[in-house]
């Protein structure tokens, strides 16, 4: 594996390239840019290569945005020279406001394998980033590991390394118990974080988890598999089982003592068009399909049930009733760590805020 310092230097140089020669590199499937993959991308039948379902013409959400209209792209960074997310090339520079898990960073900190929420505008037929937010899946100490299975737990949250997980650690790919790490990825239908990037972090940083709320009993909850304790009188109003939460706080050895909570960190309400990466699954509370627990409807094409369990990109818009209406669905450019579970999940449809 390459030394970790090389990853950071390369990313900074690519960011400085801005709209130069590197910006001309296409944003097709597969992984590029900086870092060291665990192994070459595997062809397991769940990656790229399938034809998109549905269609909006043009070049994805770019065609659905008028000049100056806001869109949102949420997915894994797979290339640089601009950033490539969900097969879309998004222009940015070092002055683009950027944050990670509630803290300001710089665009030079962007790395392949990170999951990003990018607020975009269409300008002259291209997408430009107005704000970039990196969304970690879990940050904290490793509490269990299984090197043979290339799996481990952070704060009790299961994590699975895939064939193209990008590793920013020294030593073995599966970190030792007690190591402080940050994991980027998506939560698969079975509750495991399908890791796209793994890197070390300092132990003084707040721990955090971003996952669906699976249990709630007074001020105690489970977010994914992580036990969470809310302060007395500070349980977020209106949350329900199935909602996605991002919780940051302090790990006391048994539970994450919540300090800040963001409800629906991957929300797309109020934007003209959006592109979302996630796992396609059946909704256990009906006949609909969902993407990471968010209920989907399909405009002008049938629900692609043959793609259940796959890591996909869905393009469309969230309706006022909270259902995400898809106009196109295609395989995710990031194929690794896809468990392929077809188990149904409870789906939610969070309506857009009034006004």
């Amino acid at each position: 594996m390459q030394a970790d310092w090389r990853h950071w230097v390369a990313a900074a140089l690519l960011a400085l390239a801005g709209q130069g020669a590197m910006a001309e590199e296409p944003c097709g499937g597969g992984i590029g840019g900086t870092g060291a993959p665990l192994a070459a991308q595997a062809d397991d039948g769940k990656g790229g290569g399938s034809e998109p379902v549905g269609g909006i013409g043009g070049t994805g959400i770019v065609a659905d945005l008028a000049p100056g209209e806001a869109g949102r792209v949420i997915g894994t960074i797979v290339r640089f020279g601009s950033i490539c997310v969900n097969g879309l090339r998004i222009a940015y520079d070092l002055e683009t406001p950027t944050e990670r898990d509630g803290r300001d960073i710089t665009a030079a900190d962007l790395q392949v394998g990170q999951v990003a929420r990018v607020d975009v505008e269409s300008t002259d037929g291209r997408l430009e980033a107005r704000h970039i937010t990196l969304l970690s899946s879990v940050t904290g100490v490793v509490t269990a590991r299984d090197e043979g299975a290339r799996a481990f737990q952070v704060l009790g949250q299961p994590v699975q390394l895939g064939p193209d997980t990008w590793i920013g650690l020294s030593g073995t790919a599966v970190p030792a118990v007690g190591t402080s790490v940050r994991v980027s990825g998506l939560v698969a239908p079975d509750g495991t974080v399908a890791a796209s990037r793994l890197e070390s972090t300092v132990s003084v940083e707040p721990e955090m988890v971003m996952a669906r709320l699976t249990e709630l009993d007074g001020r105690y909850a489970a977010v994914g598999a992580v036990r969470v304790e809310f302060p007395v009188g500070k349980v977020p109003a209106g949350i329900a089982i199935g909602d996605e939460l991002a919780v940051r706080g302090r790990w006391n050895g048994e539970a994450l003592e919540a300090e800040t909570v963001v409800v629906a960190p991957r929300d797309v309400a109020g934007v003209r068009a959006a592109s979302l990466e996630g796992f396609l699954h059946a909704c256990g509370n009906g006949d609909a399909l969902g993407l990471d627990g968010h209920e989907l409807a399909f405009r002008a094409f049938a629900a692609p049930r043959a793609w259940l369990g796959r890591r996909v990109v869905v393009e469309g818009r969230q309706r006022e009733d909270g259902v995400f209406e898809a106009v196109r669905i295609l395989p995710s450019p990031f194929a690794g760590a896809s468990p392929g579970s077809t188990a149904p999940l409870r789906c939610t449809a969070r309506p857009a805020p009034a006004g």
Side-chain angles (χ1 to χ4, degrees), residues 7-32:
H7 304 184
W8 300 100
V9 171
L13 291 174
L14 285 166
L16 287 170
Q19 296 304 305
M22 289 298 295
E24 298 306 316
E25 182 154 345
C27 283
I31 305 302

Side-chain angles (χ1 to χ4, degrees), residues 205-283:
E205 290 192 25
E207 291 87 0
M208 65 83 58
V209 62
M210 184 180 71
R212 288 158 49 89
L213 182 67
T214 55
E215 297 179 18
L216 182 60
D217 183 9
R219 52 184 286 253
Y220 300 97
V223 178
V226 179
R227 178 177 169 82
V228 172
E229 296 181 6
F230 297 110
V232 176
K234 298 294 185 180
V235 178
I239 61 172
I241 301 299
D243 284 346
E244 187 177 57
L245 306 179
V247 182
R248 189 170 71 237
R250 289 295 177 184
W251 177 251
N252 63 18
E254 297 182 352
L256 182 62
E257 298 175 348
E259 296 174 354
T260 63
V261 181
V262 176
V263 180
R266 296 190 298 168
D267 181 47
V268 292
V271 298
R272 177 68 179 84
S275 171
L276 306 176
E277 183 189 16
F279 287 94
L280 187 69
H281 59 81
C283 292

Side-chain angles (χ1 to χ4, degrees), residues 277-299:
E277 183 189 16
F279 287 94
L280 187 69
H281 59 81
C283 292
N285 50 327
D287 295 328
L289 297 187
L291 189 79
D292 296 346
H294 200 131
E295 185 177 342
L296 299 175
F298 299 89
R299 188 202 308 171

Side-chain angles (χ1 to χ4, degrees), residues 305-318:
R305 294 187 176 274
W307 286 23
L308 283 173
R310 295 184 62 172
R311 188 170 180 146
V312 299
V313 172
V314 177
E315 296 177 344
R317 184 178 186 182
Q318 183 172 316

Side-chain angles (χ1 to χ4, degrees), residues 147-162:
E147 187 164 6
R150 296 193 302 188
F152 56 99
Q153 296 179 12
V154 179
L155 312 183
Q157 177 75 1
V159 178
Q160 179 67 56
L161 300 177

